[in-house]
Amino acid sequence: MTAPAIEAVDLYKTFGHSTALDGVSFSVAPGTVFGMIGPNGAGKTTTMRILLDIIRPSSGRARVLDTDARNAGPALRRRIGYLPGDLILQGRISGRRLLTQYVDISGPVRPGRIDELAERLRVDLDRPVRKLSKGNKQKLGIIQAFMHEPALLVLDEPTSGLDPLMRQEFLAMVKESKAAGQCVFLSSHVISEIQQAADEVAILRNGRIVRVATVEDLRGTAVRHLRLRVAGTGAGDLRSRLQTLPGLDNLKITDDDGRGAAASATLAGAIAPILAALAVLPLTDLVLEEPDLEESVLSLYTAPNSEEQS
């Protein structure tokens, strides 16, 4: 049986009287993209730093690429590409020279690889780092993480400062890394990016994992928004027809100037029974939106503590 690329078991971390992680456990299969999302202060960065042995847990254990994280020497670190969330780069040298210094740390980089990535991300490697914008500095950070084609990529808020076009290019790079058999562990505040990139997602809140699920599972529990308009039916009649339908919540009915009525609601559960019931109405307009994954995730941020699970 293949060992997980990452395995965290009951991780606790305290800083003085503050608890940053409170029993975090999860595993990441090789060759997959694993996303971690949560509000500021949830513990995402602390988790990543423990996995990389930048800081030590107060208790619990972590294995990375089948090696105890506490024994993460140079050999293991060369198999990892890391982009920190608080990226700080030297300012008096060019981007090319800076990346050359990183090569000495990360290990071999195939010829032309750095220029290939720089062209894709549209960054001038010959400009001094201090003259680069925040977005272009972030691109250098991405290049140093990807350039040696590591077995594992650990990326903390990797698209911070990037414009929408470059975010899409970055997501393409993540997909290519997965196709090449690399494992990607990333955190993000942008839920739509996680939805596009990740196979599985851990939702973190107050140092605890609220849920670990596939993106498809999250979509399955997300609500849809329904809007419709009917002709020749009053608001009262429409309400009596709709309020008994299973799965409809937050129902709102408005009159349409005596010509009919309009309704909006959220839908959780099967679509077919709703559509069958609506088919007998004199509909003039019907909109059923795609599941709102962001809304589903945000609801977990504020879920009662009793629903949290590690």
Side-chain angles (χ1 to χ4, degrees), residues 33-38 188 190-204 209-224 267-269 290-301 303 307 309:
V33 180
F34 188 90
M36 180 169 279
I37 53 182
S188 179
V190 185
I191 296 172
S192 61
E193 291 178 359
I194 295 290
Q195 181 176 357
Q196 292 180 64
D199 301 301
E200 198 168 24
V201 181
I203 301 170
L204 201 62
I209 289 182
V210 178
R211 187 176 181 194
V212 177
T214 66
V215 170
E216 285 306 309
D217 285 341
L218 285 175
R219 284 172 60 85
T221 60
V223 298
R224 292 173 170 86
L267 169 62
E290 281 291 304
D292 191 336
L293 182 63
E294 183 161 352
E295 185 175 336
S296 177
V297 169
L298 290 175
S299 70
L300 290 173
Y301 286 0
E307 295 184 14
Q309 51 185 291

Side-chain angles (χ1 to χ4, degrees), residues 40 66 190 206 251 267 286 295:
N40 287 332
D66 206 23
V190 185
N206 295 332
L251 181 62
L267 169 62
L286 175 64
E295 185 175 336

Side-chain angles (χ1 to χ4, degrees), residues 79-94:
R79 301 176 63 199
I80 300 172
Y82 174 49
L83 175 63
D86 53 350
L87 181 66
I88 299 174
L89 300 177
Q90 300 178 44
R92 294 186 176 277
I93 59 176
S94 69

Side-chain angles (χ1 to χ4, degrees), residues 1-224:
M1 183 175 179
T2 305
I6 297 173
E7 185 179 31
V9 179
D10 211 20
L11 292 179
Y12 285 82
K13 180 61 180 177
T14 59
F15 296 97
H17 296 293
S18 175
T19 299
L21 295 182
D22 188 9
V24 167
S25 297
F26 63 91
S27 65
V28 181
T32 61
V33 180
F34 188 90
M36 180 169 279
I37 53 182
N40 287 332
K44 303 184 298 295
T45 296
T46 300
T47 300
M48 289 183 165
R49 288 175 174 172
I50 287 175
L51 295 177
L52 297 168
D53 200 36
I54 296 172
I55 60 175
R56 295 282 174 91
S58 302
S59 64
R61 58 184 177 85
R63 293 185 67 81
V64 178
L65 300 178
D66 206 23
T67 302
D68 189 324
R70 290 175 177 263
N71 300 323
L76 176 61
R77 293 184 182 184
R78 288 192 182 99
R79 301 176 63 199
I80 300 172
Y82 174 49
L83 175 63
D86 53 350
L87 181 66
I88 299 174
L89 300 177
Q90 300 178 44
R92 294 186 176 277
I93 59 176
S94 69
R96 187 178 304 278
R97 185 176 172 190
L98 177 67
L99 292 172
T100 299
Q101 293 179 356
Y102 279 120
V103 169
D104 295 335
I105 300 171
S106 66
V109 175
R110 60 180 170 85
R113 171 68 170 167
I114 291 176
D115 287 315
E116 170 194 317
L117 292 173
E119 183 176 352
R120 289 188 66 171
L121 295 174
R122 300 182 185 179
V123 58
D124 183 355
L125 296 182
D126 296 316
R127 292 192 65 194
V129 174
R130 62 184 172 83
K131 292 186 178 181
L132 296 178
S133 66
K134 173 179 170 54
N136 282 325
K137 289 178 181 178
Q138 187 74 4
K139 293 174 187 178
L140 289 182
I142 292 171
I143 292 171
Q144 68 81 25
F146 278 78
M147 64 185 182
H148 58 299
E149 299 165 289
L152 171 64
L153 285 155
V154 178
L155 310 171
D156 192 359
E157 299 290 345
T159 61
S160 175
L162 299 186
D163 63 42
L165 183 62
M166 288 298 101
R167 287 184 176 185
Q168 290 304 309
E169 190 64 44
F170 167 79
L171 292 175
M173 291 168 60
V174 168
K175 292 176 182 178
E176 291 166 12
S177 295
K178 176 187 172 182
Q182 296 167 267
C183 180
V184 182
F185 179 41
L186 61 89
S187 74
S188 179
H189 283 104
V190 185
I191 296 172
S192 61
E193 291 178 359
I194 295 290
Q195 181 176 357
Q196 292 180 64
D199 301 301
E200 198 168 24
V201 181
I203 301 170
L204 201 62
R205 189 189 75 170
N206 295 332
R208 300 188 67 193
I209 289 182
V210 178
R211 187 176 181 194
V212 177
T214 66
V215 170
E216 285 306 309
D217 285 341
L218 285 175
R219 284 172 60 85
T221 60
V223 298
R224 292 173 170 86

Side-chain angles (χ1 to χ4, degrees), residues 229-249:
R229 190 179 301 274
V230 297
T233 302
D237 186 25
L238 183 59
R239 179 178 296 278
S240 65
R241 287 170 178 259
L242 296 181
Q243 63 186 5
T244 60
L245 297 181
L248 281 188
D249 295 307

